[in-house]
Amino acid sequence: MLCCGRALDSPCTLAMLVGFQFAFVLYFSLGGFRGLVSVLVHSADPEFDYSRPHDVYTNLSHLGALVPHQMGPVVPTGAGAAGAAPQLKDCPVPSPLLVGPVAVRLMSAPSLEEIKDKNPLVTPGGHYTPPDCEPRHHTAIVVPYRNRQSHLRALLYHLHPFLQRQQIHYSIYIVHQSGNSTFNRAKLLNVGVREALKDEDWSCIFLHDVDLLPENDHNTYTCNPQHPTHLSVAMDKFRYRLPYPQYFGGVSAVTPNQYLKMNGFPNQYWGWGGEDDDIAARIRLSGMKIVRPPVAIGHYKMIKHKGDQGNEQNPRRFDLLKRTRINWRSDGLNSLKYSLLSKVLEPLYTNLSVNIGDDPHPLKNGTPPRKQTPHLVHHPDRAKDRARQVAPTQPAKTVNHQWKTTNETSGQGEKAGMKQEVG
């Protein structure tokens, strides 16, 4: 007290200067005010050690002995008969198989046959149901795709065991844009959602880039019942930080009702860029908001690659974004047109080859878009048996269902409308 009371005392002044200097260095070393608060106030966010990841196939070896579909149906002889199949209990939450951070294999992905051998419970079409419990969640994974064969193998190798440990019922849909027209990611997502909902009454739709691999299995592939979810909040490309608050790219999820409420996704974004911001805008315009998992959980690694031919930067993206507020009710699910060229239940995924038309404003490079032709995802190590071809052989008809999308529609009305249109 005596020392501090003497304002002109040199030792006291020196101590105060040293103290202020230490506080100044500490403030900025912790990242400013937010970093300082995170140290002083205990954070509820979980902590994970990403320096020691588990193998992505950890905790799955015991499931190989549990294959109900190979046991054949059991016919009961009466009420409470001993031969009746026992009813499975609901899968626990959280799944006891989760391990947290998992290793990501970015290079030299195995062949499709090798991946299938490591995932014996996955059935044709990339379909999986937990064999030992009744799943609480039913998720369709929709992946827009063209000419990324090595990325596709890496995704399938990683994502199948990742999802199986979460004990969810899921299927993977690869939506392949045929031909050589400009790539249109958002329109392919629209096609994938519509085709997936024709197969099953999925409760959750995941929109997943082929070059993003999740690093933490606590990042569950399930939907928030009220709002769209953005899951890839911390990508290595952005140094594990969210690039900006309204970012919605990479990996995201919507329920069918949320998808209907926002009129799906825009169809006019040909080439790279803009569609994610448009989707984020129509989420807000339809009265919803974006929710996210904690940054400590939403870790993803991106497979590095060069720019794709046919997916050049979209020069019209900023002009389109300016008109989102005007166009979102008329450009989307209710204006979707495409031709389903083929549908094949591959061992690890459902392949949808589609014709979504041509870019009405192609880049003037002297090379006009080529004519669209049916084309399946090429993988040289596919088995010779193609008996799984389920699409009709006659020329595909253009699909153009009109779906009602209004903010005033009740949740039950939206779900009924969705089933009526896609059923």
Side-chain angles (χ1 to χ4, degrees), residues 143-149 174-184 188 210 308-311 372 375 377:
V143 182
Y145 175 88
R146 186 170 67 181
N147 300 333
R148 295 278 196 89
Q149 297 155 22
I174 305 299
V175 190
H176 177 259
Q177 180 177 337
S178 68
N180 297 287
S181 182
T182 308
F183 194 70
N184 190 325
L188 292 173
V210 72
D308 299 324
Q309 184 177 2
N311 193 28
Q372 299 261 8
H375 179 70
V377 177

Side-chain angles (χ1 to χ4, degrees), residues 91-129:
C91 294
V93 177
S95 167
L97 305 179
L98 301 181
V99 296
V102 292
V104 174
R105 183 172 182 173
L106 294 176
M107 304 297 293
S108 303
S111 68
L112 293 176
E113 279 79 6
E114 292 173 319
I115 300 173
K116 174 57 182 172
D117 290 342
K118 293 184 71 68
N119 294 275
L121 299 184
V122 175
T123 59
H127 190 91
Y128 175 83
T129 300

Side-chain angles (χ1 to χ4, degrees), residues 97-326:
L97 305 179
L98 301 181
V99 296
V102 292
V104 174
R105 183 172 182 173
L106 294 176
M107 304 297 293
S108 303
S111 68
L112 293 176
E113 279 79 6
E114 292 173 319
I115 300 173
K116 174 57 182 172
D117 290 342
K118 293 184 71 68
N119 294 275
L121 299 184
V122 175
T123 59
H127 190 91
Y128 175 83
T129 300
D132 53 351
C133 62
E134 190 67 29
R136 298 172 183 265
H137 303 282
H138 310 272
T139 300
I141 315 293
V142 177
V143 182
Y145 175 88
R146 186 170 67 181
N147 300 333
R148 295 278 196 89
Q149 297 155 22
S150 62
H151 293 180
L152 177 58
R153 293 198 310 273
L155 178 69
L156 296 171
Y157 174 84
H158 187 87
L159 199 55
H160 274 298
F162 182 92
L163 297 176
Q164 289 169 40
R165 272 201 309 281
Q166 296 183 359
Q167 295 185 316
I168 63 175
H169 165 221
Y170 72 86
S171 197
I172 298 178
Y173 292 83
I174 305 299
V175 190
H176 177 259
Q177 180 177 337
S178 68
N180 297 287
S181 182
T182 308
F183 194 70
N184 190 325
R185 175 179 178 268
K187 193 171 184 178
L188 292 173
L189 291 173
N190 275 333
V191 174
V193 173
R194 175 171 289 178
E195 292 297 324
L197 289 174
K198 290 180 181 179
D199 288 347
E200 295 195 35
D201 188 18
W202 300 106
S203 61
C204 184
I205 309 291
F206 259 67
L207 321 168
H208 208 298
D209 284 353
V210 72
D211 56 2
L212 283 179
L213 306 178
E215 297 183 65
N216 191 323
D217 59 13
H218 286 268
N219 193 9
T220 54
Y221 275 39
T222 60
C223 279
N224 180 291
Q226 282 80 38
H227 303 287
T229 306
H230 179 234
L231 290 97
S232 54
V233 299
M235 297 193 299
D236 62 340
K237 174 183 178 180
F238 301 124
R239 298 183 179 181
Y240 294 105
R241 297 178 181 177
L242 191 67
Y244 52 91
Q246 292 304 316
Y247 181 66
F248 200 68
V251 180
S252 52
V254 294
T255 67
N257 283 344
Q258 293 164 7
Y259 175 79
L260 186 63
K261 188 175 183 179
M262 59 194 284
N263 191 24
F265 313 127
N267 298 311
Q268 300 181 13
Y269 286 82
W270 298 87
W272 181 89
E275 80 283 352
D276 293 332
D277 294 325
D278 188 296
I279 295 172
R282 58 179 62 207
I283 289 173
R284 299 191 304 272
L285 292 169
S286 59
M288 298 182 288
K289 65 179 181 179
I290 298 172
V291 296
R292 296 184 172 94
V295 173
I297 290 179
H299 278 220
Y300 282 78
K301 282 190 182 297
M302 175 178 283
I303 305 174
K304 295 181 180 180
H305 59 91
K306 298 179 180 178
D308 299 324
Q309 184 177 2
N311 193 28
E312 291 81 9
Q313 198 172 74
N314 181 3
R316 301 179 61 246
R317 63 190 186 280
F318 296 115
D319 292 333
L320 290 171
L321 284 170
K322 292 177 183 178
R323 297 196 294 269
T324 300
R325 183 177 294 273
I326 301 173

